[in-house]
Amino acid sequence: MLAPALDSQFVREVHAGLSGFGQKTLPCRYLYDSVGSALFEAITYLSEYGLTRADARILQTHAAEITGSLAGPLAVAELGSGSGIKTRPLLESLCEQQSLAYYPIDLSATALAQCERELEPLAAIVPIEKSYLEGMSEVASRRRAGEKLLVLFLGSTIGNFEPDAAIEFLTELRTLMEPDDGLLLGTDLVKPMDRLLAAYDDPAGVTAAFNLNLLARINRELGADFNLRHFHHEARYHSEAQRVEMHLRSRAHQTVRIARAGLCAEFGAGETILTEVCHKFRADQIAGMARTAGFHLDRQWMEEEWGFAESLLRV
Ligand code: AVI
């Protein structure tokens, strides 16, 4: 049985990730509290991090083609809407053809409010403050007979899943969709290691601050006493796994007390906490991943300058 202190999922996951032997880990979704979300937004403006701009360029340039194959009554659901800025060209193109229902799904009420402000006149916006799959169940229950659904999963967030979990997630998503529905999936492509390492360890230290804020969040919310100066940010690239890993490396042997988790976590000098995995894809792998999850690849748009793909998958 869990001790009474382990009463929230955050507490339980921090406890599980930082106790015991082996690689310490923390789930990457906890990077995004209000400070972390603001720091992530800042990352998207860094010259070293071209991912978000490449994603937006594809949507801007190819909006009409992307939406052209989706005639008929349509609803759009977006997983992790963020501010909604990137989505604007797609909605603009779609609302020229018809009136539109748009369901942004996000755990952050702040992001949903911002998204509503950004996109309000373009569509009937129904914000859903839930996890992606819970939100999608709600969308499935609200859709009208004969209405097709376009699901947007942009920004290469799929790359932050472990490969098996990505397939499992896409498979579950597919069960909430109907024949002829579309999934627009954004994926960052494999590129030279020096570019990737600069993107995840920028010289201004914004990504370092984003990563270290996770420890600050545990201090704030769980009464821990992490000294942030005793850890440093590290980005590693594993070419075989095609992924960047973000770690927090302990500068010395130390013990950290996490009051609400009832835990004293010990860190050896040089020991790391794995906080995020960011997979990079080759075009053929995207089609394979789609097939395994029960989709087929209908069309694909590439951005060559940074190296990003937008794929329209069909159920
Ligand atoms: C949200 N996600 C797609 C980002 C990425 O590139 O994997 C998160 C990120 N982590 C550090 N920089 C950006």
Side-chain angles (χ1 to χ4, degrees):
M1 206 177 93
L2 293 175
L6 304 185
D7 57 358
S8 77
Q9 195 174 355
F10 185 30
V11 171
R12 282 195 297 275
E13 291 189 305
V14 168
H15 191 284
L18 298 186
S19 47
F21 301 102
Q23 175 68 62
K24 290 184 167 61
T25 58
L26 289 169
C28 66
R29 68 178 179 285
Y30 295 118
L31 290 163
Y32 299 91
D33 65 347
S34 52
V35 179
S37 299
L39 287 166
F40 176 65
E41 172 81 7
I43 288 173
T44 66
Y45 291 96
L46 295 173
S47 60
E48 293 83 7
Y49 189 83
L51 187 158
T52 311
R53 289 185 298 277
D55 192 8
R57 269 197 295 276
I58 300 184
L59 301 178
Q60 185 84 51
T61 313
H62 300 287
E65 277 169 61
I66 294 172
T67 58
S69 54
L70 299 160
L74 184 74
V76 177
E78 179 162 13
L79 310 180
S81 63
S83 68
I85 292 173
K86 261 189 322 194
T87 319
R88 179 173 264 280
L90 282 185
L91 292 196
E92 275 172 350
S93 167
L94 283 167
C95 75
E96 272 171 20
Q97 304 158 26
Q98 59 193 295
S99 67
L100 199 66
Y102 171 61
Y103 301 95
I105 302 170
D106 209 298
L107 281 173
S108 157
T110 318
L112 288 171
Q114 203 181 342
C115 174
E116 232 177 327
R117 279 196 302 275
E118 174 69 29
L119 300 170
E120 184 70 78
L122 294 175
I125 302 182
V126 185
I128 301 184
E129 193 181 331
K130 289 194 172 161
S131 70
Y132 297 153
L133 293 174
E134 282 170 353
M136 274 298 296
S137 299
E138 184 167 333
V139 171
S141 69
R142 281 170 178 256
R143 67 193 282 189
R144 286 169 296 202
E147 192 176 58
K148 273 192 219 152
L149 186 66
L150 171 64
V151 180
L152 309 177
F153 195 26
L154 308 173
S156 202
T157 302
I158 194 69
N160 299 130
F161 289 63
E162 289 290 347
D164 287 350
I167 297 288
E168 201 179 310
F169 175 78
L170 291 175
T171 307
E172 276 191 50
L173 183 61
R174 202 241 313 131
T175 62
L176 296 166
M177 297 169 66
E178 290 179 11
D180 279 339
D181 284 350
L183 167 64
L184 190 67
L185 183 69
T187 43
D188 199 20
L189 300 177
V190 171
K191 47 188 65 65
M193 182 163 82
D194 55 341
R195 288 182 73 197
L196 284 171
L197 289 178
Y200 289 89
D201 191 6
D202 60 278
V206 183
T207 310
F210 170 66
N211 199 7
L212 283 161
N213 174 61
L214 182 49
L215 303 184
R217 177 179 185 176
I218 297 173
N219 285 349
R220 285 191 292 270
E221 295 183 24
L222 305 186
D225 60 2
F226 277 105
N227 183 332
L228 271 60
R229 296 191 194 281
H230 293 174
F231 287 84
H232 70 91
H233 166 71
E234 190 175 291
R236 300 179 188 165
Y237 185 60
H238 291 262
S239 48
E240 217 168 285
Q242 292 177 203
R243 74 189 204 179
V244 178
E245 289 181 1
M246 292 212 313
H247 290 258
L248 289 166
R249 181 180 287 278
S250 173
R251 294 184 190 271
H253 180 269
Q254 55 183 313
T255 304
V256 176
R257 193 165 161 270
I258 304 163
R260 275 202 61 206
L263 176 69
C264 282
E266 213 169 307
F267 297 90
E271 186 177 0
T272 71
I273 310 170
L274 172 63
T275 53
E276 189 174 52
V277 294
C278 313
H279 290 87
K280 307 298 159 188
F281 301 86
R282 292 192 320 262
D284 59 307
Q285 289 174 322
I286 302 164
M289 179 164 70
R291 247 193 328 273
T292 314
F295 290 95
H296 72 271
L297 177 62
D298 186 353
R299 289 201 62 180
Q300 200 165 56
W301 295 266
M302 296 289 183
E303 198 278 351
E304 308 285 348
E305 191 185 322
W306 170 258
F308 195 90
E310 213 70 78
S311 306
L312 183 60
L313 312 182
R314 297 286 197 161
V315 174

